[in-house]
Amino acid sequence: MAKADHIKKLVASFGRNQEFRAAALRIIDEATSQGKKPFAESLRKILDANVRADYQTAPQPGLTTLASQIDAAADLVDEIPVSRGLNDIVLNSDTRSLIEGLIEERRRREELRRHRLPVSTRLLFSGPAGCGKTLCAEVLARELSLPLYSARIDVIISSLLGETASNLRRLFEFAERRPCILFLDEFDALARTRTDIAEHNELRRVVNSLLLMIERFKGPGLVIAATNLPQSLDEALWRRFDDILSFDPPTEREIALLLKRQFANFPAQFDLDMPVSKLVGMSYADIERICIDAIKKAVLKKRKSISETEFAAALRQETRRKGLTSRRGL
Ligand SMILES: Nc1ncnc2c1ncn2[C@@H]1O[C@H](COP(=O)(O)OP(=O)(O)OP(=O)(O)O)[C@@H](O)[C@H]1O
Ligand SMILES: [Mg+2]
């Protein structure tokens, strides 16, 4: 049963979509943690179908429309469609508890504010390719019912240097005006070590103003920066973030969880623990590709489950592909 407090909050927030969603999501989380997964999932479907997040509701006449607000920085961001939630990501236990803590903190930020406690707004995701940095930004967007905007770093920095600073300003103003997640992917491209560019005064000024914008960010949502080259980041930058989360390649435990998830709807005929050791060292994205390839092979053979042979063939295919891409230096 949901806690009485959560039900009271749900009823009290009637008419305010964002708060209603947050209260309902807490009941759903509670049901999930009590092992009532089917109930939690059906509740989630009902919620998503009937109570849309505020940012999705139609603009009211007389108010500035979403489109016109976005227009001011439309050339600098791409909206990323959001569909996957916490159940769709495999994380090591440290990162998972940080993420769950963040979600809890943001859902209950009014309580924290009443005690004059700050909420985390600036996060840095660090880790190699294909280990869940972008996926986790999507998961946070879904769990917090926020739209996800990815900054178009190429547009922001390919223009004349003088424009880069004003583009950054427009970008942060955009994220300060509305509840959203601003995702700064390939952050290293934007924030190269200042010593690297010591000779270039103008570039150094841009990096410095980026530091200031991150430090002063007071938006209602979150700024998430992601990098797979943490060593090339300026040390001063690390300090500007409230939390730094690392996304590492999966260990055996996480590989086993990922396989279970991948084959939840299309069963395997073999013991899923068997291939785990062969997959160590690969990223989540690599392993996901192997599973999808194996499922594809089975479907094309009109089978309803995957044999060990199909999995082994998909694994060989991936190993070959990896060999090719690393030889080409990709
Ligand atoms: N931790 C994970 N749990 C489950 N699936 C994952 C995980 N990490 C990656 N995947 C799968 O691999 C895909 C690609 O991962 P993602 O884009 O999040 O990697 P990334 O860390 O952002 O990589 P890059 O540095 O190249 O941007 C995801 O969309 C998802 O399907
Ligand atoms: Mg990414």
Side-chain angles (χ1 to χ4, degrees):
M1 248 323 267
K3 285 206 187 103
D5 271 2
H6 295 172
I7 298 175
K8 279 190 213 158
K9 276 218 170 89
L10 184 78
V11 175
S13 59
F14 179 73
R16 293 187 301 278
N17 276 5
Q18 199 80 357
E19 281 171 46
F20 189 89
R21 274 188 70 87
L25 286 168
R26 295 197 62 203
I27 294 176
I28 293 168
D29 287 348
E30 208 181 338
T32 310
S33 64
Q34 291 169 349
K36 297 173 189 152
K37 239 177 136 188
F39 172 62
E41 274 165 17
S42 68
L43 213 53
R44 179 85 204 213
K45 277 194 191 131
I46 297 171
L47 182 70
D48 285 348
N50 293 285
V51 188
R52 313 191 80 200
D54 280 348
Y55 75 89
Q56 293 171 320
T57 53
Q60 290 166 26
L63 292 181
T64 321
T65 64
L66 182 61
S68 69
Q69 284 184 36
I70 288 175
D71 271 350
D75 53 328
L76 304 179
V77 292
D78 286 320
E79 181 164 5
I80 303 182
V82 167
S83 63
R84 293 173 290 181
L86 255 186
N87 289 334
D88 300 303
I89 189 165
V90 178
L91 295 168
N92 66 44
S93 46
D94 285 349
T95 307
R96 177 162 288 267
S97 55
L98 273 170
I99 291 291
E100 285 172 352
L102 266 165
I103 294 172
E104 173 85 359
E105 187 178 288
R106 292 207 65 95
R107 284 191 189 150
R108 300 175 62 190
R109 63 182 178 282
E110 286 315 320
E111 274 171 64
L112 293 175
R113 262 187 207 136
R114 274 200 294 276
H115 289 86
R116 296 182 191 283
L117 293 167
V119 285
S120 298
T121 47
R122 298 154 302 185
L123 308 176
L124 179 64
F125 289 180
S126 151
C131 289
K133 300 183 295 295
T134 305
L135 173 59
C136 192
E138 178 183 340
V139 167
L140 278 174
R142 163 132 187 203
E143 297 300 331
L144 300 172
S145 302
L146 292 171
L148 175 61
Y149 296 108
S150 180
R152 300 182 60 190
I153 305 286
D154 52 339
V155 177
I156 292 168
I157 54 178
S158 73
S159 45
L160 297 169
L161 263 184
E163 277 178 26
T164 304
S166 75
N167 283 344
L168 280 173
R169 216 168 11 254
R170 274 201 298 141
L171 185 73
F172 276 81
E173 278 167 12
F174 167 79
E176 296 210 329
R177 268 202 311 270
R178 50 179 297 98
C180 69
I181 293 184
L182 177 64
F183 188 55
L184 306 172
D185 209 355
E186 295 175 47
F187 190 56
D188 35 283
L190 208 65
R192 256 164 296 162
T193 316
R194 277 178 294 181
T195 48
D196 268 10
I197 51 169
E199 288 94 84
H200 210 313
N201 279 339
E202 184 128 29
L203 248 183
R204 201 167 55 204
R205 269 219 307 279
V206 168
V207 177
N208 284 344
S209 70
L210 174 65
L211 291 183
L212 265 181
M213 282 177 216
I214 292 175
E215 193 170 349
R216 291 182 182 161
F217 177 74
K218 290 266 181 300
L222 286 169
V223 172
I224 301 178
T227 178
N228 44 27
L229 291 172
Q231 66 281 7
S232 72
L233 282 190
D234 192 315
E235 257 188 47
L237 249 165
W238 293 83
R239 285 189 278 112
R240 318 286 157 144
F241 292 94
D242 298 315
D243 270 307
I244 297 171
L245 286 83
S246 46
F247 293 80
D248 301 316
T251 59
E252 293 203 355
R253 174 190 161 271
E254 287 120 34
I255 295 173
L257 283 173
L258 185 68
L259 291 178
K260 227 166 108 189
R261 202 156 300 210
Q262 291 294 321
F263 294 127
N265 299 321
F266 206 97
Q269 289 163 4
F270 52 94
D271 178 5
L272 283 181
D273 288 336
M274 194 264 306
V276 166
S277 61
K278 294 186 189 133
L279 301 170
V280 172
M282 292 188 174
S283 70
Y284 288 90
D286 295 337
I287 300 171
E288 182 182 71
R289 199 165 30 237
I290 296 170
C291 296
I292 291 172
D293 274 353
I295 296 175
K296 239 197 272 181
K297 288 183 201 306
V299 167
L300 292 175
K301 287 185 194 158
K302 301 208 179 300
R303 293 237 301 275
K304 298 230 166 352
S305 57
I306 294 147
S307 71
E308 210 175 322
T309 328
E310 277 139 11
F311 191 86
L315 176 57
R316 271 198 306 280
Q317 204 167 307
E318 178 65 22
T319 317
R320 204 167 41 236
R321 212 184 70 90
K322 279 266 141 190
L324 285 177
T325 50
S326 63
R327 243 175 287 146
R328 286 191 192 131
L330 294 172

